[in-house]
Amino acid sequence: MASFNSYKLRCSIPGHEMDVRGLAATVFPEGAFVSVSRDRTGRVWVPNSSSDKGFTEMHSMSGHSNFVSCVCIIAPSETYPRGLVATGGNDNNICVFSLDRPQPLFTLKGHKNTVCTLSSGKFGTLLSGSWDTTAKVWLNEKCMMTLQGHTAAVWAVAILPEQGLMLSGSADKTIKLWKAGRCEKTFTGHEDCVRDLAVISNTEFFSCSNDTSIRRWLVTGECVQVYYSHTNFIYSLAVFPNSQDFISTGEDRSLRIWRQGECSQTIRLPAQSVWCCCILPNGDIVVGASDGIIRVFTEAEDRMASAEDLQAFEDELSKATIDPKTGDLGDIKLEDLPGREHLNEPGNRDGQTRLIKDGQKVEAYQWSVSDGRWMKIGDVVGGSNQQTSKSVMYEGKEYDYVFSIDVNEGGPSMKLPYNVTDDPWLTAHNFLQKNDLSPMFLDQVANFIIENTKGHVVGPAQPAGGDPFTGEVQKMDTLCFFFTGTGRYIPGSGPNPGAPVGVADPFTAKLKELNGGAPQEHKLSEEVLESLERLLLSVCGLNSSEPAPTIQQINLLWKASHWPEDIVFPVLDIMRLAVRHPQVNESLCGEAEGVQLCNHLLNLMRPEGRPANQMLALRTLCNCFSGRHGRALLMAQRETVLSRAADLATVCNKNIHIALATLVLNYAGCLHLQPDLEAKAQCLSVASRALETVQDKEAVFRLLVALGTTVASDQTAQDLARSLGVSSQISKYSSVSDPSKVGECCQLLLKELQ
């Protein structure tokens, strides 16, 4: 490798429709590499023999039902002489592909959350890391062991050349060394999430972190060097064949090349997040970014792009807009910035940035040592009058504010992170719940947020349970929204909404019948049965003179809901009606009891559980949305609830499918006009997966409404739905005429996604 040559663009490959999240050089064909993306595909790229110095897609792989997060190459074997490609995704699975077929040879299942990192070793060993806080070792299509010990997501894994040694890096800020499944050592030093690991030799490795540093470690535990140059999260590392020089990419829009321990070159890209990188055998560098484009850089002059293409790349870079919140440019005050004449002075290092003002505009330039000039890298937006532009990092995430809340004088303060797009009341609620504080502080904390964000709150949050178009708050058996805003359909609002239409006898009769045959230790007394009957009459509102439910009645209902699973269903039927009542909703879904209720219902929804219990647990969750406390609880528990509910799509039961669809619909309604893309992505994923198995037209209709509500008025969510292939998946419903609402809803959704 010519040590002091500068890297320049070789080619740009618009190969994916969404972020490129993983790259790996292949063993075969020579000079090729594989990329994976949020568009759910993996693609193999081979170098062209033509003079355009580019790459051609040789092979496309699909098998994940959600975003693909990472990729690695499994070394050739006798069975697979060309090697295999392993990919991990947000569907919690690992797919393993050969290079001659688009579908996976096999799928590895076992992780309970996103698989975000993979590494391969000798003899076909595969190591995976997941947001479920574990790493798993796979061999011959089976999980051989699970490495447990991290307390947060495992973002990085690596297998060392010495057999049996493995590394894992985590959002808990630590790196662990494993031998034969046991943690031998924990490395501390990083101050934020560890995002990637790169092996140097049997005895050394690199790590990078959200704390903007790269560290070089000995496996014995010593950190021998820390490298600083990046100004934001560092996502990816790759080591050159000389085992000394390396490259890194990150959230500061840059690829950085490190030689002899120093950052020798900084290459800016016209994309905010440079997620991944790899080094090809010829020394060329491949990077993938949030704009869906793969870019290849080379130091070999005969492989560099033409002068026209290099100029086009520079022009694209100069037109980029830079958000000062990335922290790359420091604090910006327009009045203190020099004019264009400042560019007549040369820089003192490659990658140095300089801001100049041009009228009321702020432009960013970077010094190029190889070209001996300042290159424009973008226009700074939103920075002209800001006193400070840098966001605050807390627990590996970026926030506009992180407040310190002092609860006890002299005691430790508690951190409250907040973005101006958040609902201050929901943020306050979640803060109190997380820290086990009394709800009496809700108003005080919410008003503190509003006061200290200087009016930057994005409007009063629409009440969860409001219609997405009218803002009208509905109180109904099952809280649902129709995304078109016209002809709103509310399940349960027709002539037979599902609540008792006479007395409570049909409910309590079954309860008494089962109580008669219940084991002695579970028998309910006559007083308890009468209390439950009075509770049922109160919550159904059949008689306005009925007193409100008492705490004693609610506690008896909770206790009865723990009956044996083979007889508990009539109690669950009462509970799913009761949680609609404000007092019951507050009591069962409030601060102390809410998580217990959620866990109890999720336990009843186990895939191997009884269908009646599964259905009624789902309906109870749906009805929890009718109250403020229930909504807050279910939004806080969203990931777990939707993940468990999604498993029930495979149960062949029409009523379960309708209840599942209604639950997804309620979440979609609460998320409407909210900026939580991760939550919307889960709604889209669950609804999309459910549509693969659900046949009942009512369930299909509600899932279509959920999809529509999720993407309505949200361009990013629409792009996400397109990338998930929602349009092609649902198009078959556009011609459904019985009932007509299915076809009409589908057509509206397809139009929204055009």
Side-chain angles (χ1 to χ4, degrees):
M1 187 176 75
S3 302
F4 299 99
N5 283 359
S6 289
Y7 275 84
K8 293 192 176 181
L9 183 72
R10 172 176 171 177
C11 64
S12 296
I13 308 168
H16 287 280
E17 297 171 12
M18 295 188 72
D19 304 45
V20 180
R21 293 303 302 260
L23 292 163
T26 62
V27 177
F28 176 89
E30 185 179 352
F33 64 89
V34 60
S35 61
V36 296
S37 165
R38 288 170 66 96
D39 65 13
R40 300 193 293 173
T41 68
R43 304 178 189 222
V44 179
W45 305 91
V46 295
N48 294 341
S49 55
S50 59
S51 59
D52 67 4
K53 308 176 181 73
F55 286 76
T56 299
E57 181 183 328
M58 181 194 88
H59 184 53
S60 179
M61 299 166 289
S62 58
H64 289 281
S65 61
N66 209 323
F67 310 143
V68 189
S69 310
C70 55
V71 62
C72 78
I73 303 299
I74 299 175
S77 63
E78 286 186 11
T79 310
Y80 302 105
R82 295 181 176 182
L84 296 171
V85 178
T87 61
N90 284 46
D91 57 6
N92 310 347
N93 295 335
I94 301 164
C95 293
V96 181
F97 300 86
S98 64
L99 290 174
D100 56 3
R101 52 181 286 184
Q103 298 303 317
L105 291 173
F106 51 88
T107 301
L108 305 176
K109 298 186 177 184
H111 280 295
K112 297 176 182 177
N113 210 320
T114 296
V115 179
C116 54
T117 177
L118 292 167
S119 178
S120 63
K122 298 177 181 178
F123 315 114
T125 303
L126 186 65
L127 177 62
S128 62
S130 168
W131 292 357
D132 66 11
T133 75
T134 72
K136 290 182 181 288
V137 183
W138 309 83
L139 186 62
N140 298 330
E141 304 182 36
K142 293 182 180 179
C143 179
M144 305 303 290
M145 60 184 70
T146 298
L147 310 181
Q148 295 179 302
H150 286 293
T151 57
V154 177
W155 276 106
V157 293
I159 298 179
L160 289 160
E162 184 178 331
Q163 195 173 344
L165 287 181
M166 299 178 178
L167 294 166
S168 59
S170 170
D172 65 13
K173 309 175 189 178
T174 71
I175 302 163
K176 291 183 181 292
L177 176 70
W178 307 84
K179 186 170 185 178
R182 291 174 57 88
C183 180
E184 296 286 309
K185 192 174 297 292
T186 298
F187 303 76
T188 58
H190 280 299
E191 298 175 2
D192 209 330
C193 308
V194 178
R195 296 302 293 262
D196 200 13
L197 298 165
V199 174
I200 303 170
S201 66
N202 279 336
T203 58
E204 289 185 283
F205 64 93
F206 289 117
S207 64
C208 66
S209 166
N210 281 2
D211 66 10
T212 76
S213 77
I214 299 167
R215 290 176 175 257
R216 184 173 186 147
W217 305 84
L218 300 177
V219 293
T220 49
E222 297 84 5
C223 176
V224 294
Q225 194 166 355
V226 183
Y227 307 84
Y228 292 104
S229 180
H230 281 280
T231 55
N232 210 320
F233 300 167
I234 308 174
Y235 294 135
S236 181
L237 294 167
V239 181
F240 282 107
N242 66 6
S243 297
Q244 293 298 319
D245 300 331
F246 61 97
I247 61 175
S248 58
T249 66
E251 184 67 15
D252 55 10
R253 307 195 312 148
S254 76
L255 157 68
R256 297 182 191 244
I257 298 157
W258 302 78
R259 291 184 169 119
Q260 299 174 2
E262 300 289 335
C263 180
S264 65
Q265 186 180 358
T266 299
I267 299 174
R268 303 280 174 174
L269 279 81
Q272 183 61 58
S273 306
V274 190
W275 291 116
C276 51
C277 62
C278 73
I279 298 171
L280 300 180
N282 62 6
D284 287 2
I285 297 169
V286 188
V287 298
S290 53
D291 59 2
I293 296 177
I294 302 162
R295 295 177 176 88
V296 185
F297 296 89
T298 185
E299 60 177 353
E301 291 186 9
D302 62 338
R303 292 197 297 273
M304 288 179 184
S306 65
E308 293 79 11
D309 287 345
L310 289 172
Q311 186 60 50
F313 175 68
E314 186 174 333
D315 291 346
E316 183 185 11
L317 187 62
S318 71
K319 294 173 184 173
T321 56
I322 302 172
D323 183 351
K325 287 184 180 180
T326 60
D328 191 30
L329 306 175
D331 296 342
I332 300 171
K333 294 182 181 178
L334 181 63
E335 62 272 15
D336 295 342
L337 294 178
R340 191 169 294 279
E341 69 280 357
H342 196 46
L343 300 178
N344 295 328
E345 303 171 13
N348 52 32
R349 60 178 173 81
D350 191 85
Q352 179 185 355
T353 56
R354 184 164 285 179
L355 300 180
I356 62 107
K357 64 180 175 183
D358 183 9
Q360 291 300 307
K361 287 197 318 180
V362 178
E363 297 178 347
Y365 287 80
Q366 174 180 293
W367 179 251
S368 170
V369 170
S370 60
D371 293 342
R373 64 187 177 93
W374 291 98
M375 293 173 54
K376 185 180 177 185
I377 58 172
D379 294 310
V380 182
V381 294
S384 57
N385 296 310
Q386 292 184 356
Q387 291 184 337
T388 178
S389 61
K390 190 169 184 179
S391 293
V392 185
M393 284 196 293
Y394 176 68
E395 292 184 345
K397 297 179 181 177
E398 196 174 58
Y399 294 93
D400 295 318
Y401 301 90
V402 176
F403 299 112
S404 292
I405 306 293
D406 294 316
V407 180
N408 299 313
E409 186 175 355
S413 61
M414 298 174 179
K415 299 298 181 185
L416 190 159
Y418 180 76
N419 284 315
V420 294
T421 53
D422 293 343
D423 173 3
W425 297 92
L426 185 58
T427 300
H429 170 90
N430 292 339
F431 169 77
L432 296 175
Q433 185 179 53
K434 177 181 178 181
N435 293 285
D436 197 25
L437 298 174
S438 168
M440 66 178 286
F441 293 118
L442 181 65
D443 288 352
Q444 187 177 347
V445 175
N447 288 324
F448 172 85
I449 294 171
I450 294 169
E451 176 66 26
N452 286 277
T453 51
K454 303 185 177 83
H456 287 159
V457 177
V458 184
Q462 177 183 338
D467 180 81
F469 289 83
T470 66
E472 177 186 357
V473 179
Q474 303 287 337
K475 289 187 179 179
M476 58 191 81
D477 189 322
T478 49
L479 185 66
C480 302
F481 307 89
F482 191 26
F483 73 96
T484 63
T486 58
R488 184 170 64 248
Y489 174 81
I490 304 170
S493 61
N496 181 19
V501 186
V503 293
D505 287 351
F507 288 80
T508 55
K510 191 65 179 177
L511 186 63
K512 291 175 181 177
E513 175 189 333
L514 292 172
N515 188 54
Q520 192 60 41
E521 66 271 19
H522 292 293
K523 278 189 185 296
L524 304 177
S525 67
E526 283 298 317
E527 291 80 5
V528 170
L529 291 172
E530 289 175 12
S531 181
L532 291 177
E533 187 169 2
R534 286 195 299 273
L535 170 66
L536 185 58
L537 290 169
S538 297
V539 300
C540 290
L542 301 173
N543 187 338
S544 58
S545 64
E546 286 289 336
T550 66
I551 291 297
Q552 182 186 20
Q553 290 170 348
I554 297 170
N555 288 339
L556 288 173
L557 174 64
W558 171 245
K559 182 179 178 181
S561 73
H562 290 77
W563 253 15
E565 289 192 16
D566 58 337
I567 59 172
V568 75
F569 67 89
V571 181
L572 297 177
D573 215 7
I574 297 173
M575 178 177 279
R576 63 108 182 168
L577 294 169
V579 293
R580 300 173 308 164
H581 192 283
Q583 256 176 276
V584 181
N585 193 282
E586 180 177 357
S587 182
L588 290 182
C589 302
E591 297 289 323
E593 296 83 5
V595 174
Q596 294 180 47
L597 172 68
C598 212
N599 289 338
H600 180 49
L601 294 173
L602 293 179
N603 183 55
L604 293 168
M605 287 162 55
R606 300 186 318 276
E608 68 274 15
R610 293 175 173 264
N613 296 343
Q614 293 168 338
M615 177 193 67
L616 290 167
L618 280 168
R619 288 183 174 179
T620 304
L621 290 171
C622 290
N623 286 353
C624 285
F625 277 92
S626 62
R628 178 169 61 91
H629 294 86
R631 285 194 296 274
L633 168 68
L634 290 177
M635 293 305 285
Q637 301 292 321
R638 168 192 52 79
E639 187 172 339
T640 307
V641 170
L642 279 178
S643 296
R644 174 58 59 85
D647 293 337
L648 297 180
T650 56
V651 177
C652 295
N653 185 297
K654 159 185 158 178
N655 292 323
I656 287 176
H657 289 170
I658 292 174
L660 166 61
T662 306
L663 180 67
V664 180
L665 184 46
N666 280 308
Y667 272 110
C670 285
L671 290 167
H672 184 71
L673 299 182
Q674 299 297 316
D676 191 342
L677 185 60
E678 181 182 340
K680 290 185 177 183
Q682 190 183 20
C683 275
L684 288 171
S685 174
V686 172
S688 178
R689 284 164 55 192
L691 281 169
E692 293 174 4
T693 53
V694 168
Q695 299 295 320
D696 179 79
K697 291 299 188 291
E698 181 58 32
V700 168
F701 172 68
R702 298 190 192 193
L703 289 169
L704 291 173
V705 176
L707 288 170
T709 303
T710 304
V711 303
S713 307
D714 189 329
Q715 186 61 50
T716 307
Q718 291 171 20
D719 292 341
L720 186 59
R722 292 185 191 103
S723 73
L724 290 170
V726 168
S727 295
S728 59
Q729 183 185 22
I730 68 170
S731 59
K732 62 184 179 182
Y733 299 116
S734 62
S735 58
V736 173
S737 57
D738 183 19
S740 60
K741 64 183 181 183
V742 173
E744 292 166 1
C745 181
C746 181
Q747 291 166 23
L748 288 167
L749 179 52
L750 288 171
K751 185 177 180 181
E752 190 88 352
L753 295 177
Q754 282 180 351

